[in-house]
C-alpha cells in the first residue's frame, strides 16, 4: 500500500473500512489501469496526495473496486463503473468523445442511497431500501443514534418540490440522529452560519462547505502542477444541495465528535471543528458507503408512501342499527320507562313534533321526590313533587325548539364516517308473535367504567323492544339500566301547564330548579355520563336553569369601585376563595351570595370604574360517545402521518404542553413518566385527581408514553405535560371561566409553549377573552376544540383571535356530524373513535373535537421540539401550510368545516426540520 498524506483519523477510518471489503484493495497495482479520461479526472486533484505534496487532500480517494453494472441505455445494457473511497466515476457511453467533460460522470449516488432506489437506467429503478450506512465517521458507529443515509429520507428534496427558507447569515443549529430525528442545539453552531441559498433546489449551504467548494489550490493538468486554480467545478463535482446541513454525533476512530454534514446531488461534505486546518472540511466516504449498501447488505423493501389505515365498511350490525333508528324516527308517539338496578327512575312520553313529558326520580332534602318536566316547543316547564306536595310550575325558554324524534340522540342515523360504536348482531329468535334479534356493543368510558349495551329489536315491526346498559365502575360497583319501549304511535296527551312562573336564578327562591335538580338521577357519576349523551336536550335545559357561579369583574384602575365596595359591605358580594384584589388589570371573581344576578350585574356595570362585569359562565368538555374496539386501534396516527413524523421527532423534554382539563391520572403507567407539573386552578395546590377521565384521555393523546408495551401511544410522547385540573369539584367535566382564566395564566407563567383546551361554551366573555390574549400575546400556541354542537354557532374560547380552533373529521376523513364549524375554524383532525389512555389505567375510544384539539397540540409540541426558536405564528403557519386541504381546495385555502385542512404531522415536521417557514394566509380568521 502506497504511503499517502492524510490525517491519522482518516487512515483509521479507512482501515476499518478494509475489514468490510477483504476482496477489494486500495492499491491500484491489483486493478487494471483506469481509462485515460477517468485517470485525467482523478489525477487533477488526487495525484498530489499520492505524491505527498503538502496541503493536498483526497477528492476521490483511494480506489476501492471496479464493476460492470446494469444500465439500460449503455451498449448491451452494461456500463463500466469505478469506485473510489469518496465517489464513483462511470462511463455510460464509450462511443462518446473521450475529451468531452461528461464522458465520465460521477452519478447520483446520494439520491440512490437516501431514497433506496438503485438506478439501472435513466428512468429505470430497483427498490432496494434506504442505506443504513453511517453518514460520517466510523463504518461501525460507536454511538447508538449516529445517523445513516437512510436518516435523510424524509429531509431531502431533489427537484425543489419543497423549499427551505433563505437563512443566509443565521447560525446552523439543527442536529440529526438515527432514523431522521431532528432537534436543535444552539451551542453547536459556534459561529457556523448559513452562507448561501440555492434557489435551484431551495436549500441553504453552510459557510464551511461554501468556502470549501470555492477554494483555489494546486491541480495537475496537462502533465504539470498549476497553482492558484479552482479545485472544483462545483456543479460537476458536487451538484446542488439536496438537504439542509445538520450536526451529527458520530465516532471517528472510536472517539465521539460532533460533525456537520450536508448532502449534495453528487457528494456528501463533512465539517469537523476539532480537525486541524486545512482538514476541517472533507468529502465523505460516499463511494465506500455506496459499495457497502449495494454489494454487502440485504435487499429490503422500500416504501415511499405513508402508512394508511383500514376504513370501516358496512356490517350487518351497522345496517340493522341504522334501519331500526330510521323506523323509530318515523314514529309519531312513544313511551319509555327506565329502571336502574330494577328500580324505576324515569318515565317518558314523546309526541311529534315538539312535545315531551318526563317523571324523573330524585331526592329533595333527603326525601324521595320526583321532577316532572314538560317540554312544548321552545319552553320547558318543571315542578318538584315530594309526597303529596308539589311546587309551582317553573318555566325556561330555550334558544331552539325541541323536536322529536328527528333530533332525538337515541335514534340518530350514523354514517360510516361517524361510526363510533361497532354494533354486533346476534342470532334471530322466532316467537309466537315476532322475530327478535339482539344488537350489542362493549366499550370503556373515559372514567374507566366498562359498558355492555344491548338492544332487542323486532325484525317484523322494525322497532326497539327494550335496551339494557350494564356498567362496571373502576371501583367494582355494578349498575344495570333497562329501558322498555311501548305504545308506538299511541297519542300522548301532553299540554302546557297553566300559571307557570318564569324560573329565577335567585338561589333563595323556594323549590328553585337548581335545588330541585341538585341530585343526579342514578346517584352514580359514570352512569350519568351515559345519560348525558342520550338526553342532551334535557341537559341543555338543566344547564340553562342552573344558577350563576359568581361574577367576574375587571376594574379600570386597580381595585377602586364604589359599587363593588358597597356590595361587599352589605354582603351581596364576597371575594371568592383563592382570589385577591387585582393589581395588574386582571379580572377578579366574586360570589353573588343570595343576590339576584341580573340586578348585581346592572349595579356593577353602572360604575364608571368597572371595565366589565360578566357571569362566571360554565363551559363543558367537547366529548360525545365512548367505545373501546380494542388496543392497537389508533388509526388516527396513520391518518395524520404520525409514523412519518416520528422519523423526525417524538418530542423533547425541553418543550412543555399544558393541558387545561379535568386533571390527569398520576398513577397511569402510560402517563406518569411524562407529567412534569400539576396544578389545580379551582382550589389551588397540586391535586389533579381526574374523576371525569377526560383530562387523562386528552393528555394521553398528546403525551402517552410510547414503546412501553402499555395501551397505545401519544403523538408527542417525549414531551413534558403540565396537567392543570380546572373543572368544578362538584361538576366533573364542567369548567367555570374563573378557573380557566387562572389556568391560562398559570400555564403561561410556568413555561408552557402550547396550551390545549378541549372545552367550550356559547357565551362570549371578555374576561375569558383577556386571559386567552394574555397567553397568545406571550407567544403561547393556544389550541381549542371547536365544539360538538354540529352547527355554525360560535363557541368560546375556540372563536377568540389567534387561537387554533380545531374541528373533527371521522373515519372516512370527512367532517364529523357533531363537529362545530364556521369562519373561525383553522384546522381539522380526527375526532371519531380516538383510542388512548383514560382514568383508572384503562384504554378507551371516545369521540369529540376534544380529541381533535390535542392531536394538533401534539403536532405543535413536535414542531417546537425540532425548532424551539419558532414563534407561535410560525408554528401556526407550518401547521396550515402542511395540512391536507379540503376537497377542491388548494394549500392555504380555507373551508368552514375543514379549516385550512386536516393536519399532516409528517409534512409539518419535515418543514420544521428543513427550515421551511411559511407565512400565515392573508385570510386568516381574526
Amino acid at each position: 500500500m502506497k504511503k499517502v498524506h492524510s490525517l491519522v483519523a482518516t487512515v483509521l477510518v479507512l482501515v476499518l473500512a478494509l475489514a468490510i471489503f477483504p476482496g477489494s484493495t486500495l492499491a491500484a497495482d491489483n486493478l487494471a489501469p483506469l481509462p485515460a479520461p477517468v485517470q485525467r479526472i482523478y489525477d487533477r486533484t488526487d495525484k498530489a496526495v499520492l505524491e505527498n505534496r503538502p496541503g493536498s487532500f483526497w477528492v476521490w480517494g483511494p480506489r476501492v473496486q471496479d464493476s460492470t453494472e446494469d444500465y439500460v441505455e449503455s451498449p448491451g445494457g452494461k456500463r463500466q463503473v469505478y469506485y473510489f473511497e469518496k465517489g464513483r466515476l462511470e462511463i455510460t457511453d464509450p462511443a462518446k468523445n473521450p475529451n468531452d467533460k461528461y464522458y465520465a460522470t460521477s452519478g447520483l449516488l446520494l439520491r440512490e442511497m437516501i431514497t433506496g432506489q438503485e438506478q439501472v437506467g435513466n428512468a429505470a429503478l430497483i427498490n432496494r431500501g434506504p442505506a443504513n450506512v453511517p453518514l460520517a465517521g466510523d463504518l461501525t458507529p460507536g454511538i447508538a443514534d449516529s445517523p445513516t443515509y437512510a436518516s435523510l429520507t424524509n429531509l431531502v428534496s431533489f427537484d425543489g418540490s419543497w423549499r427551505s427558507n433563505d437563512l443566509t447569515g443565521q447560525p446552523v443549529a439543527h442536529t440529526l440522529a438515527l432514523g431522521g430525528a431532528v432537534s436543535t442545539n444552539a451551542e453547536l453552531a459556534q459561529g457556523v452560519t448559513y452562507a448561501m441559498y440555492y434557489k435551484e433546489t431551495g436549500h441553504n449551504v453552510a459557510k464551511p462547505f461554501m468556502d470549501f467548494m470555492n477554494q483555489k489550490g494546486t491541480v495537475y493538468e496537462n502533465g504539470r502542477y498549476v497553482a492558484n486554480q479552482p479545485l472544483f467545478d462545483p456543479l460537476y463535482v458536487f451538484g446542488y444541495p439536496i438537504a439542509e446541513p445538520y450536526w451529527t454525533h458520530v465516532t471517528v476512530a472510536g472517539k465521539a465528535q460532533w460533525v456537520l454534514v450536508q448532502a449534495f446531488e453528487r457528494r456528501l461534505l463533512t465539517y469537523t471543528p476539532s480537525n486541524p486546518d486545512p482538514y476541517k472540511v472533507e468529502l465523505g466516504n460516499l463511494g465506500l458507503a455506496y459499495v457497502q449498501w449495494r454489494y454487502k447488505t440485504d435487499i429490503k423493501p422500500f416504501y415511499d408512501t405513508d402508512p394508511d389505515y383500514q376504513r370501516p365498511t358496512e356490517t350487518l350490525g351497522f345496517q340493522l342499527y341504522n334501519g331500526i333508528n330510521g323506523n323509530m324516527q318515523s314514529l309519531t308517539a312513544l313511551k319509555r320507562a327506565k329502571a336502574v338496578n330494577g328500580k324505576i327512575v324515569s318515565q317518558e312520553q314523546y309526541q311529534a313534533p315538539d312535545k315531551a313529558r318526563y317523571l324523573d326520580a330524585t331526592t329533595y332534602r333527603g326525601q324521595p321526590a320526583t321532577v316532572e318536566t314538560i317540554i312544548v316547543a321552545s319552553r320547558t316547564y318543571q315542578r318538584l313533587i315530594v309526597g303529596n306536595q308539589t311546587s309551582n310550575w317553573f318555566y325556561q325558554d330555550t334558544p331552539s325548539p325541541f323536536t322529536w324524534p328527528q333530533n332525538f340522540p337515541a335514534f340518530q342515523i350514523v354514517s360510516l364516517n361517524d361510526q363510533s360504536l361497532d354494533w354486533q348482531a346476534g342470532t334471530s329468535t322466532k316467537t309466537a308473535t315476532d322475530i327478535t334479534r339482539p344488537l350489542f356493543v362493549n366499550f370503556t368510558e373515559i372514567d374507566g367504567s366498562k359498558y355492555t349495551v344491548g338492544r332487542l329489536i323486532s325484525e317484523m315491526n322494525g322497532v326497539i323492544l327494550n335496551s339494557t346498559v350494564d356498567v362496571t365502575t373502576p371501583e367494582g360497583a355494578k349498575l344495570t339500566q333497562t329501558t322498555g319501549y311501548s305504545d308506538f304511535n299511541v297519542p300522548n296527551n301532553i299540554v302546557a301547564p297553566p300559571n307557570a312562573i318564569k324560573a329565577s336564578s335567585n338561589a333563595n327562591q323556594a323549590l328553585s330548579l337548581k335545588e330541585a335538580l341538585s341530585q343526579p338521577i342514578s346517584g352514580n357519576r359514570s352512569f350519568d355520563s351515559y345519560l348525558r349523551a342520550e338526553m342532551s336536550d334535557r341537559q341543555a335545559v338543566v344547564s340553562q336553569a342552573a344558577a350563576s357561579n359568581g361574577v367576574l369583574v375587571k376594574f379600570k384602575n386597580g381595585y377602586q369601585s364604589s359599587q363593588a365596595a358597597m356590595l361587599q359591605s352589605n354582603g351581596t358580594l364576597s371575594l371568592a376563595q383563592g382570589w385577591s384584589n387585582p393589581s395588574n388589570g386582571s379580572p377578579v371573581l366574586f360570589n353573588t351570595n343570595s343576590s339576584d344576578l341580573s340586578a348585581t350585574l346592572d349595579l356593577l356595570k353602572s360604575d364608571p370604574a368597572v371595565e366589565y362585569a360578566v357571569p362566571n359562565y360554565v363551559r363543558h368538555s367537547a366529548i360525545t360517545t365512548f367505545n373501546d374496539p380494542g388496543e392497537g386501534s389508533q388509526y388516527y396516527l396513520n391518518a395524520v402521518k404520525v409514523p412519518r413524523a416520528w422519523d423526525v421527532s417524538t418530542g423533547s423534554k425541553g418543550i412543555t404542553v399544558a393541558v387545561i382539563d379535568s386533571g390527569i391520572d398520576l398513577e397511569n403507567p402510560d402517563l406518569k413518566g411524562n407529567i412534569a407539573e400539576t396544578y389545580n386552578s379551582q382550589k389551588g395546590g397540586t391535586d389533579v385527581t381526574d374523576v371525569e377521565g377526560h383530562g387523562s384521555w386528552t393528555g394521553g393523546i398528546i403525551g402517552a408514553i410510547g414503546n412501553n408495551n402499555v395501551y397505545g401511544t401519544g403523538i408527542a410522547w417525549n414531551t413534558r405535560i403540565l396537567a392543570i385540573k380546572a373543572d368544578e369539584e362538584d361538576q366533573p367535566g364542567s369548567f367555570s371561566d374563573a378557573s380557566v382564566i387562572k389556568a391560562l395564566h398559570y400555564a403561561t407563567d410556568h413555561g408552557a409553549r402550547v396550551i390545549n383546551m378541549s372545552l367550550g361554551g356559547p357565551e362570549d366573555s371578555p374576561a375569558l377573552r383577556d386571559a386567552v390574549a394574555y397567553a397568545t400575546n406571550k407567544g403561547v400556541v393556544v389550541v381549542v376544540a371547536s365544539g360538538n354542537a354540529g352547527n355554525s354557532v360560535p363557541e368560546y374560547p375556540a372563536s377568540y383571535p389567534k387561537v387554533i380552533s380545531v374541528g373533527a373529521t371521522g373515519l372516512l376523513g370527512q367532517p364529523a356530524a357533531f363537529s362545530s364549524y364556521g369562519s373561525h375554524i383553522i384546522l381539522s383532525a380526527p375526532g371519531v373513535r380516538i383510542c388512548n389512555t383514560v382514568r383508572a389505567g384503562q384504554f378507551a375510544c371516545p369521540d369529540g373535537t376534544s380529541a381533535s384539539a390535542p392531536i394538533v397540540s401534539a403536532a405543535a409540541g413536535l414542531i417546537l421540539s425540532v425548532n424551539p426558536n419558532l414563534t407561535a405564528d410560525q408554528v401556526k403557519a407550518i401547521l396550515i401550510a402542511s395540512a391536507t386541504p379540503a376537497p377542491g381546495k388548494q394549500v392555504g385555502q380555507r373551508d368552514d368545516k375543514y379549516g385550512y385542512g386536516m393536519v399532516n404531522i409528517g409534512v409539518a415536521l419535515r418543514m420544521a426540520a428543513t427550515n421551511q417557514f411559511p407565512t400565515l394566509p392573508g385570510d386568516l380568521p381574526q
Side-chain angles (χ1 to χ4, degrees), residues 240-437:
Y240 291 116
I242 56 175
E244 297 292 282
Y246 296 99
W247 292 99
T248 61
H249 201 205
V250 301
T251 54
V252 179
K255 181 182 178 182
Q257 299 191 52
W258 283 99
V259 176
L260 186 68
V261 300
Q262 184 155 20
F264 295 80
E265 288 177 309
R266 303 180 186 279
R267 293 299 187 100
L268 183 83
L269 288 178
T270 67
Y271 168 72
T272 308
S274 60
N275 279 0
D277 290 326
Y279 303 109
K280 291 184 183 297
V281 176
E282 298 176 285
L283 290 105
N285 295 335
L286 181 59
L288 206 58
Y290 184 88
V291 170
Q292 181 186 6
W293 168 65
R294 181 160 179 164
Y295 290 100
K296 299 294 181 181
T297 59
D298 295 332
I299 293 179
K300 298 177 182 179
F302 173 67
Y303 303 100
D304 59 358
T305 57
D306 289 298
D308 208 344
Y309 65 95
Q310 184 67 45
R311 268 68 172 178
T313 56
E314 288 195 13
T315 63
L316 176 60
F318 175 82
Q319 294 169 345
L320 288 172
Y321 180 80
N322 273 346
I324 295 299
N325 281 350
N327 292 336
M328 296 296 285
Q329 286 198 10
S330 68
L331 300 173
T332 59
L334 173 72
K335 287 184 180 178
R336 299 201 309 177
K338 293 184 179 180
V340 173
N341 290 346
K343 181 179 179 180
I344 296 292
V345 296
S346 178
Q347 299 178 61
E348 307 167 10
Q349 297 172 284
Y350 298 97
Q351 180 71 55
D354 58 0
K355 295 181 177 66
R357 179 173 180 262
Y358 310 104
L359 293 172
D360 293 322
T362 186
T363 59
Y364 175 68
R365 296 178 179 176
Q367 299 181 57
T370 301
V371 174
E372 183 176 6
T373 304
I374 292 178
I375 300 175
V376 178
S378 297
R379 182 161 290 185
T380 298
Y381 304 85
Q382 287 186 311
R383 68 174 178 175
L384 183 66
I385 305 170
V386 183
N388 295 325
Q389 295 184 333
T390 61
S391 72
N392 294 322
W393 281 102
F394 298 95
Y395 74 86
Q396 283 276 9
D397 289 324
T398 57
S400 57
F402 170 79
T403 57
W404 189 86
Q406 288 76 18
N407 296 331
F408 193 67
F411 307 143
Q412 288 289 341
I413 304 296
V414 180
S415 70
L416 283 175
N417 187 61
D418 297 300
Q419 185 189 353
S420 175
L421 298 176
D422 189 9
W423 288 90
Q424 303 294 311
T427 303
S428 298
T429 300
K430 187 174 182 179
T431 68
T433 58
D434 204 348
I435 300 175
T436 62
R437 184 191 288 265

Side-chain angles (χ1 to χ4, degrees), residues 11 297 633 766 879 892 918:
V11 174
T297 59
S633 298
L879 287 168

Side-chain angles (χ1 to χ4, degrees), residues 108-117 129-133 149-150 153 286 289-291 293:
L108 303 176
L109 274 64
L110 268 172
R111 181 171 191 153
E112 293 185 42
M113 295 173 70
I114 293 171
T115 64
Q117 296 177 311
N132 283 306
V133 180
Y149 288 86
T153 300
L286 181 59
Y290 184 88
V291 170
W293 168 65

Side-chain angles (χ1 to χ4, degrees), residues 52 142 305 310 359 364 370 444 471 600 610 630 656 662 758 848 856 862 926:
N52 256 348
T305 57
Q310 184 67 45
L359 293 172
Y364 175 68
T370 301
T444 300
V471 185
T600 302
V610 173
T656 298
S662 62
S758 294
V856 174
L862 289 178
Q926 296 297 323

Side-chain angles (χ1 to χ4, degrees), residues 429-704:
T429 300
K430 187 174 182 179
T431 68
T433 58
D434 204 348
I435 300 175
T436 62
R437 184 191 288 265
L439 293 177
F440 59 91
V441 67
N442 299 302
F443 59 88
T444 300
E445 204 212 81
I446 55 172
D447 75 334
S449 297
K450 300 289 187 179
Y451 278 71
T452 298
V453 180
R455 281 182 169 185
L456 184 65
I457 62 174
S458 167
E459 291 191 298
M460 292 182 61
N461 299 316
V463 294
I464 305 172
L465 300 175
N466 61 66
S467 65
T468 304
V469 181
D470 290 314
V471 185
T472 303
T473 70
E475 296 76 24
K478 296 184 182 297
L479 296 166
T480 297
Q481 173 189 280
T482 57
T483 303
Y485 294 81
S486 62
D487 294 327
F488 303 104
N489 289 330
V490 177
N492 293 298
N493 184 27
I494 301 174
V495 296
N499 305 318
I501 303 168
K502 186 174 183 180
S504 170
S505 60
N506 188 336
N508 278 343
Q509 182 170 348
L511 301 180
S512 68
L513 287 181
K514 179 186 178 185
E515 198 169 21
L517 301 176
S518 61
Q519 300 294 322
I521 294 171
S522 70
N524 180 274
R525 190 215 60 76
S526 63
F527 188 74
D528 287 340
S529 64
Y530 181 82
L531 297 181
R532 280 204 305 273
E534 191 179 50
M535 299 186 294
S536 59
D537 292 305
R538 296 169 64 188
Q539 185 193 7
V541 173
V542 174
S543 175
Q544 291 178 13
S548 167
N549 288 282
V551 294
L552 285 161
V553 184
K554 183 178 180 181
F555 302 103
K556 294 179 180 177
N557 298 304
Y559 186 60
Q560 299 175 358
S561 168
S562 59
Q563 288 292 352
M566 179 196 73
L567 291 171
Q568 285 188 91
S569 66
N570 65 25
T572 299
L573 290 182
S574 61
L575 274 175
Q577 183 178 0
W579 291 76
S580 59
N581 293 339
S583 58
N584 59 356
S586 299
V588 63
L589 178 64
F590 289 101
N591 293 325
T592 54
N593 298 329
S594 299
S595 63
D596 181 87
L597 177 63
S598 299
T600 302
L601 288 173
D602 289 342
L603 283 173
L604 288 168
K605 291 175 181 178
S606 68
D607 191 332
V610 173
E611 182 172 325
Y612 59 71
V614 292
N616 180 27
Y617 294 116
V618 174
R619 303 178 193 275
H620 300 278
S621 54
I623 190 170
T624 60
T625 56
F626 316 96
N627 63 87
D628 185 2
E631 297 182 20
S633 298
Q634 295 177 292
Y635 76 93
Y636 60 94
L637 298 177
N638 286 348
V640 297
K641 315 307 179 190
V642 172
R644 181 65 61 92
W646 283 339
D647 287 343
V648 178
S649 178
T650 57
S652 166
K653 297 303 183 187
I655 300 299
T656 298
V657 178
V659 181
I660 299 176
D661 215 299
S662 62
I664 203 161
D665 186 350
L666 294 175
E667 297 305 315
N668 191 306
D670 231 12
L671 295 171
K672 61 182 180 181
N674 278 349
I675 301 170
E677 186 181 354
T678 63
Y679 175 65
N680 189 314
S681 62
Q682 179 68 22
K683 61 180 184 180
T686 60
D687 177 17
V688 290
T689 302
D690 188 10
V691 176
E692 176 76 2
H694 189 270
S696 299
W697 177 56
T698 57
I701 292 169
I702 295 169

Side-chain angles (χ1 to χ4, degrees), residues 146-160:
S146 291
T148 65
Y149 288 86
S151 301
L152 286 170
T153 300
N154 294 320
L155 304 173
V156 293
S157 171
F158 301 100
D159 55 4

Side-chain angles (χ1 to χ4, degrees), residues 65-232:
Q65 71 178 46
D66 300 347
S67 299
T68 301
E69 296 176 351
D70 294 335
Y71 204 81
V72 174
E73 282 74 19
S74 292
K78 301 285 186 179
R79 69 176 178 182
Q80 191 62 35
V81 177
Y82 306 91
Y83 286 100
F84 306 92
E85 179 191 311
K86 297 184 180 297
R88 180 180 79 179
L89 286 168
E90 67 250 355
I91 300 174
T92 301
D93 183 5
K96 198 172 185 178
N97 180 358
N99 294 316
D100 188 293
K101 177 180 178 180
Y102 295 102
Y103 178 80
T105 56
S106 57
L108 303 176
L109 274 64
L110 268 172
R111 181 171 191 153
E112 293 185 42
M113 295 173 70
I114 293 171
T115 64
Q117 296 177 311
E118 177 186 314
Q119 190 165 12
V120 292
N122 293 343
L125 301 170
I126 294 176
N127 287 337
R128 178 178 289 275
N132 283 306
V133 180
L135 270 175
D138 301 339
L139 288 176
T140 303
I143 296 175
D145 66 347
S146 291
T148 65
Y149 288 86
S151 301
L152 286 170
T153 300
N154 294 320
L155 304 173
V156 293
S157 171
F158 301 100
D159 55 4
S161 55
W162 54 262
R163 314 172 68 80
S164 303
N165 278 38
D166 185 346
L167 299 180
T168 301
Q170 297 186 34
V172 179
H174 279 326
T175 67
L176 175 67
L178 185 66
V182 176
S183 58
T184 302
N185 187 339
E187 294 180 0
L188 292 174
Q190 297 184 22
V192 178
T193 60
Y194 300 100
M196 182 176 176
Y197 180 72
Y198 277 79
K199 294 181 180 178
E200 292 81 359
T201 52
H203 288 291
N204 299 276
V205 175
K207 189 175 188 302
F209 301 143
M210 201 75 235
D211 294 343
F212 179 82
M213 291 188 294
N214 291 327
Q215 68 179 305
K216 293 184 177 182
T218 298
V219 298
Y220 187 80
E221 290 181 338
N222 300 319
R224 64 189 181 92
Y225 286 103
V226 183
N228 199 33
Q229 297 297 306
L231 289 182
F232 311 111

